[in-house]
Amino acid sequence: MLETLINIFHLIFSESFILTVVTASTPLLLASSGELMVERSGVLNLGVEGMMIVGAACGFAGAWLSGSILVGALSGIIAGAALSGMFGILTLGLAVNQVATGLALTIFGVGLSGLIGAKFVGEKIAPAAHLHLPMLTDLPGVGRILFGEDPFVYVSVALIIGIWLFLYRSRPGLVLRAVGDNHASAHALGYPVLRIRMLAVLFGGACAGLAGAYLPLAYTPFFIPGMTSGRGWIALALVVFASWRPGRLVIGAYLFGAVSILGLALQPLQLGIPQQVMNMLPYLATVVVLVLISRARGTAGSAAPASLGLVFVPDR
Amino acid sequence: MQLVLERRAERSTVVAIASPLIAIALTLVTIGILFAIIGKSPIEALRVYFVEPLTDPYPFFLQQEIAVKATPLVMIAVGLSLCYIANIWNIGAEGQFLVGAVCGSWLAVKTNGTDVGHWVLPVMLILGALGGAIYGLIPALCRVYFGASEILTSLMLVYVANLGLDYMVRGPWRDPHGLNFPTTAAFDPAASIGTLFEGPGRLHAGSIIALVVVMLGAVMLGRTLMGFQIRLVGAAPRAARFSGFDTNKLVLFTFAVSGALAGLAGIVEVAGPIGHLDPGVASGYGFTAIIVAFLGRLNPIGILFAGLFLALTFIGGEGAQIALKVPLDLTKVFQGILLFYVLACDSLIAYRVRLLRTARKVAPANA
């Protein structure tokens, strides 16, 4: 028993485990960062999973056809933004229910990704190269973790810092939060509520597309249908977990990244727990965390946007 | 020039009836254009998709297949419509479907080869419905007692159910004579739903259960106090609160009912057309049923027709895969497009789209 615990402890603090946690967390952080902006503007886009999986298919297609990871990433971003544009036209332009449209986007995206990706199943690409700085990357212990990641990891960190600066330290960010908290007042003050929300939705789609593209470009160097396996939904839960605050989002993304690979990492220890049960961990953890967070709401300083998910039709 | 939405004084009845039909027409046009783009004849494609399955000659194999596919879709969608009308979002029907399938199969696996009598199948159906209801109550309880979003929790439980099913058929319930395939042994006749007609057709008694569900759903929604509460909470939540209706009770009720129906659909599917439990039971009916519910305008009778239409696209899609060499995923894309159009057309019931010719002008002070 004690020996097993020591083994688990060693494993969790090993360099290789932490490196895998970073790779598992990055798509979650990218997707949930985008959704955080969308929800802060008052829109609930449940289509993250659909945008991610299409981003994965287009990202792989772009990289495979061009031989460039950058082109792949851009393809994923454009695909995600295009899908979110459809969502925006329906929910903002035609005032359709956001929950139903988000579900439609996911159903559509899962089908579309299968269609796009069918030609590429079984193909392989060279995954994104990791950073290598002479001296720094070779530092013992922290070198590879801090200075030897793939470029997406640094992008994801820069993105969430940028979002924090935008939301809390800039005037447009203040307007975006105002639109999310009370669209009627923002409209009365003369802010173009629907246009601001559309931009936020497109940004969220681009982030989800990039998060999806990360999977075949850096996580595994190939495309499998359904490879996002619920990460888009976990990203949505993360925004709730973070109480709509960027700082907590980073903590949440890394916690969930760790939980999601724990099952795989513990496999060699032969704990006698069925693999399927270990694979349930990230989903069960999401349910438990949602329950705990929702229960603590109010005391935990939640920044839930007051107009979240509500339809807004400007009167003239 | 600018397009704007204008709220209608009254919901348009004409559009309400026509909107699903307009959505279907728009989807067909879109499909035709897509086929033209990939270099196939749109007319031929639409014929393979929508006419061929309906004109299959005696013994009407394909028509029966449509009914077989529509059965779980309709059963699940009727349950979901109760939730969606009341603005309660159960999107985990796929998980409740699988748990129902597993719970019902438990008895079939335990009594396999024992010939204990005809009570097995009815008890399996009850166990399936019960399992689905209990699984559906988990997100409902999480919402009622802790305020957790039922959207996310119900969806997360789909993945859990999927893995649970996978464990059961690879572990404890694996057929010892199954050549190591992840499947249970084939169910006994006493644990199976028989086909209705002689011949190759697979139409089974489960379809009759689906019809009963549609009728009960219609009566419940239109003629009972519970149905009235569901509609009131959806249409006017504030009014419902003032009149003292308990929304929490409604969340529990709609989740339990939709879970039970999804679970029943799951065990009917396993005991009927499939005949054993394997990971392939998870075929996405729980998600397609969401489209069925909306296409049927959240009305049980409408859902019956919507379920048959979606089933037609499945069967037509299988035909198109063989005849036109198009991937099966195309069907899912069409279903997604259809849902988009349905939602967009639904918006026209409450709003009118106006084209503004000139840019907005400042109104004169005395206006």
Side-chain angles (χ1 to χ4, degrees):
Chain A
M1 185 63 202
L2 186 67
E3 201 188 348
T4 318
L5 281 179
I6 292 172
N7 280 338
I8 294 176
F9 189 81
H10 273 295
L11 191 135
I12 288 177
F13 288 95
S14 67
E15 188 189 43
S16 65
F17 182 77
I18 295 174
L19 282 171
T20 347
V21 169
V22 174
T23 353
S25 309
T26 300
L28 296 177
L29 183 57
L30 284 169
S32 56
S33 300
E35 182 66 15
L36 182 96
M37 286 281 271
V38 178
E39 294 194 13
R40 268 305 178 87
S41 81
V43 180
L44 179 65
N45 185 354
L46 288 181
V48 180
E49 179 80 6
M51 299 187 292
M52 268 184 87
I53 188 72
V54 173
C58 290
F60 188 86
W64 193 83
L65 293 172
S66 69
S68 150
I69 294 291
L70 183 65
V71 172
L74 289 175
S75 316
I77 290 174
I78 293 168
L83 279 188
S84 69
M86 287 169 63
F87 174 87
I89 290 170
L90 280 170
T91 56
L92 303 173
L94 284 171
V96 180
N97 180 307
Q98 292 173 9
V99 175
T101 311
L103 287 176
L105 192 60
T106 291
I107 293 172
F108 175 71
V110 170
L112 187 63
S113 72
L115 211 56
I116 296 169
K119 288 190 183 72
F120 302 101
V121 173
E123 303 289 349
K124 268 191 94 162
I125 52 162
H130 283 229
L131 185 71
H132 191 92
L133 300 173
M135 306 287 290
L136 287 175
T137 308
D138 302 323
L139 282 174
V142 294
R144 276 187 63 205
I145 294 166
L146 289 181
F147 304 106
E149 303 288 353
D150 59 68
F152 293 90
V153 174
Y154 300 106
V155 169
S156 71
V157 174
L159 187 71
I160 193 69
I161 294 173
I163 287 174
W164 182 82
L165 285 173
F166 173 81
L167 282 177
Y168 293 103
R169 291 288 180 273
S170 82
R171 190 168 173 78
L174 184 66
V175 174
L176 181 109
R177 286 191 284 143
V179 166
D181 275 327
N182 192 332
H183 48 212
S185 302
H187 177 65
L189 287 172
Y191 292 116
V193 171
L194 294 181
R195 199 176 308 158
I196 290 167
R197 286 188 168 167
M198 187 68 185
L199 289 175
V201 164
L202 288 173
F203 176 79
C207 290
L210 180 64
Y214 179 78
L215 295 171
L217 298 184
Y219 196 69
T220 57
F222 42 81
F223 173 79
I224 331 164
M227 72 187 301
T228 47
S229 57
R231 285 187 179 85
W233 294 104
I234 292 180
L236 280 161
L238 276 174
V239 178
V240 181
F241 169 85
S243 306
W244 292 268
R245 288 167 185 275
R248 296 183 191 177
L249 196 67
V250 180
I251 300 169
Y254 277 81
L255 265 178
F256 269 85
V259 171
S260 70
I261 58 152
L262 203 58
L264 208 61
L266 292 181
Q267 212 170 11
L269 295 184
Q270 306 263 332
L271 297 176
I273 303 169
Q275 192 56 38
Q276 290 94 339
V277 175
M278 295 304 281
N279 291 346
M280 287 177 189
L281 274 179
Y283 311 113
L284 289 174
T286 309
V287 174
V288 170
V289 161
L290 278 173
V291 164
L292 294 177
I293 283 291
S294 310
R295 209 181 149 192
R297 181 80 41 80
T299 51
S302 166
S307 296
L308 184 60
L310 301 179
V311 165
F312 177 68
V313 179
D315 47 352
R316 283 169 299 128
Chain B
M1 285 212 300
Q2 191 187 5
L3 282 174
V4 294
L5 287 185
E6 206 168 68
R7 189 175 275 282
R8 291 180 199 268
E10 268 177 56
R11 293 167 65 83
S12 163
T13 333
V14 181
V15 183
I17 294 165
S19 83
L21 301 176
I22 299 171
I24 289 177
L26 286 171
T27 310
L28 294 186
V29 171
T30 312
I31 294 175
I33 293 170
L34 282 178
F35 271 108
I37 290 172
I38 59 171
K40 316 247 179 198
S41 155
I43 304 292
E44 173 64 9
L46 292 177
R47 200 184 64 76
V48 171
Y49 251 92
F50 298 103
V51 181
E52 217 151 72
L54 292 175
T55 53
D56 191 36
Y58 186 81
F60 307 122
F61 178 74
L62 290 181
Q63 289 90 334
Q64 292 195 37
E65 281 299 293
I66 294 172
V68 169
K69 284 266 180 202
T71 298
L73 292 175
V74 169
M75 283 163 75
I76 302 170
V78 168
L80 291 182
S81 68
L82 302 183
C83 298
Y84 298 167
I85 291 171
N87 262 319
I88 295 163
W89 296 98
N90 176 7
I91 60 173
E94 177 79 4
Q96 294 139 23
F97 176 87
L98 294 179
V99 169
V102 168
C103 288
S105 297
W106 169 78
L107 190 64
V109 170
K110 291 295 159 195
T111 60
N112 203 283
T114 54
D115 193 25
V116 285
H118 287 291
W119 54 270
V120 174
L121 182 63
V123 176
M124 280 167 64
L125 297 183
I126 293 168
L127 283 176
L130 216 57
I134 291 169
Y135 207 61
L137 276 172
I138 300 174
L141 289 168
C142 288
R143 169 170 159 174
V144 168
Y145 288 103
F146 306 111
S149 157
E150 79 275 21
I151 301 174
L152 295 173
T153 47
S154 65
L155 195 277
M156 284 296 129
L157 290 173
V158 174
Y159 293 94
V160 175
N162 235 319
L163 289 162
L165 165 70
D166 197 68
Y167 170 70
M168 293 316 287
V169 294
R170 282 177 206 280
W173 291 355
R174 191 210 291 263
D175 179 14
H177 312 295
L179 302 171
N180 237 7
F181 281 110
T183 170
T184 65
F187 289 1
D188 291 334
S192 304
I193 302 176
T195 53
L196 287 180
F197 304 111
E198 298 280 315
R202 299 197 302 161
L203 188 65
H204 56 86
S207 303
I208 299 169
I209 301 180
L211 287 177
V212 173
V213 165
V214 167
M215 281 189 282
L216 289 179
V219 171
M220 213 281 288
L221 265 177
R223 296 269 179 271
T224 64
L225 181 63
M226 192 45 115
F228 175 68
Q229 286 189 25
I230 289 173
R231 285 183 288 132
L232 183 65
V233 165
R238 268 167 63 84
R241 214 171 321 134
F242 287 136
S243 57
F245 287 160
D246 187 352
T247 315
N248 282 345
K249 212 183 278 174
L250 213 61
V251 172
L252 295 173
F253 175 80
T254 53
F255 259 96
V257 171
S258 58
L261 287 174
L264 185 62
I267 187 59
V268 164
E269 188 67 9
V270 172
I274 300 180
H276 60 261
L277 192 67
D278 70 37
V281 174
S283 51
Y285 282 132
F287 295 114
T288 312
I290 297 173
I291 307 179
V292 173
F294 281 108
L295 181 62
R297 307 231 53 251
L298 305 181
N299 170 319
I301 309 289
I303 284 170
L304 178 61
F305 289 106
L308 287 168
F309 181 76
L310 262 289
L312 175 62
T313 66
F314 274 120
I315 304 299
E318 284 169 13
Q321 189 188 19
I322 299 162
L324 304 170
K325 311 263 179 302
V326 292
L328 210 51
D329 276 316
L330 203 58
T331 308
K332 279 193 206 150
V333 173
F334 293 162
Q335 292 172 348
I337 293 174
L338 177 63
L339 182 51
F340 277 130
Y341 280 130
V342 168
L343 295 171
C345 290
D346 270 7
S347 176
L348 299 180
I349 301 171
Y351 299 98
R352 174 185 291 131
V353 179
R354 267 273 169 87
L355 192 66
L356 283 191
R357 288 209 173 276
T358 47
R360 198 187 308 172
K361 279 181 194 140
V362 179
N366 59 354

